[in-house]
Amino acid sequence: MIKLYYHPSPNPAKIALFLEEAGLSYEMVPVDTRRGDQFKPEFLAINPNGKTPALTDGDVTIFDSSAILLYLAEKTGRFLPENTPKARGEMLSWLMFVATGIGPYCGQAVHFTRAAPEKLPYAINRYTFEAKRHWGLIEAQLGKHRYMLGDTYTLIDMAVWGWATRIPFALGEEAFAAMPNVKRHLDEISARPAAQRATALKDKFAFKTEMDEEARKILFPQNAHLVA
């Protein structure tokens, strides 16, 4: 049985979408990050980086959402482009682009606009600008094709969808006005039954939603040494 170690955030959402699209049987194991579940020894034994998602499949243990997507796609032979060096190169490039660009810059934009103890204009400008720049490249790609790699729905679309669901939170409600193709892509995928089932996972467990002092200490341990 596949076990998905899940929290309702963009990276685990990608994996839930793939599992649902592929019709794979799996067990959801909730990891409540605002309660510190990600730092429990039993989870760190699966992902020493202490982040969701992670996945086990028999004796296979794998973490990082991009690695998990690629593992599942290769395991099932589904949601991959044609098996040519050219197509695989494009697939890997966009997969890593989401991993190293979209995710980190959106995450930092959210952190400095919403979570940082000080509102630092330089940091806010830096990460918001870069997040928008990265999404601009996705917008341009989706302006050329229905999906990220052409006319076929692949794991890259799932990777993009996970983060596209959070664009208003990261960049403001008006952000989609400059990204009509991203919005079109998001809406199309979100309407798929598999995406609706993946989205509904968040309601299967009472995840903590309050960003109280306890949650801040857990999520931002680097702040502990700051002098007030």
Side-chain angles (χ1 to χ4, degrees):
M1 172 67 75
I2 291 173
K3 291 185 178 181
L4 169 62
Y5 294 80
Y6 171 91
H7 179 267
S9 48
N11 285 326
K14 309 170 193 175
I15 310 308
L17 176 58
F18 190 104
L19 291 167
E20 291 291 343
E21 290 282 17
L24 293 171
S25 297
Y26 68 97
E27 175 187 347
M28 185 191 86
V29 181
V31 180
D32 197 334
T33 60
R34 294 191 181 185
R35 298 186 191 278
D37 289 354
Q38 69 273 36
F39 300 124
K40 291 180 177 179
E42 56 267 33
F43 184 71
L44 290 174
I46 295 166
N47 183 359
N49 195 33
K51 294 181 182 294
T52 58
L55 182 141
T56 58
D57 182 12
D59 62 354
V60 175
T61 298
I62 187 165
F63 59 89
D64 186 275
S65 61
S66 294
I68 297 170
L69 278 178
L70 191 56
Y71 169 80
L72 291 172
E74 292 180 343
K75 171 187 171 74
T76 61
R78 300 191 62 190
F79 304 110
L80 288 165
E82 60 181 329
N83 189 21
T84 66
K86 182 178 184 296
R88 184 169 175 82
E90 185 179 20
M91 181 268 290
L92 289 171
S93 295
W94 284 112
L95 183 63
M96 300 310 159
F97 175 82
V98 175
T100 64
I102 293 292
Y105 282 102
C106 284
Q108 293 298 329
V110 168
H111 180 79
F112 283 105
T113 56
R114 296 179 178 271
E118 299 177 66
K119 292 294 184 285
L120 302 173
Y122 178 87
I124 292 170
N125 179 68
R126 158 76 175 166
Y127 288 108
T128 301
F129 178 90
E130 282 296 297
K132 289 180 178 179
R133 185 181 70 80
H134 281 81
W135 276 113
L137 299 177
I138 299 288
E139 171 68 16
Q141 180 71 0
L142 289 173
K144 301 173 189 175
H145 310 286
R146 179 180 179 184
Y147 296 114
M148 284 297 297
L149 301 183
D151 295 326
T152 303
Y153 177 57
T154 70
L155 75 165
I156 308 303
D157 300 293
M158 300 179 198
V160 169
W161 174 83
W163 281 100
T165 60
R166 306 305 173 91
I167 285 176
F169 184 75
L171 301 176
E173 294 293 335
E174 72 286 354
F176 279 131
M179 295 183 276
N181 291 302
V182 172
K183 185 63 164 61
R184 181 258 310 160
H185 183 260
L186 169 64
D187 289 346
E188 179 179 337
I189 295 175
S190 295
R192 296 174 69 93
Q196 294 173 14
R197 293 192 298 271
T199 301
L201 285 180
K202 68 181 186 301
D203 300 321
K204 292 189 174 184
F205 181 81
F207 290 97
K208 181 177 179 177
T209 58
E210 300 82 14
M211 183 59 81
D212 55 19
E213 190 60 30
E214 177 192 25
R216 287 181 178 276
K217 288 180 180 179
I218 291 168
L219 295 175
F220 312 122
Q222 71 274 10
N223 293 342
H225 75 282
L226 294 178
V227 178

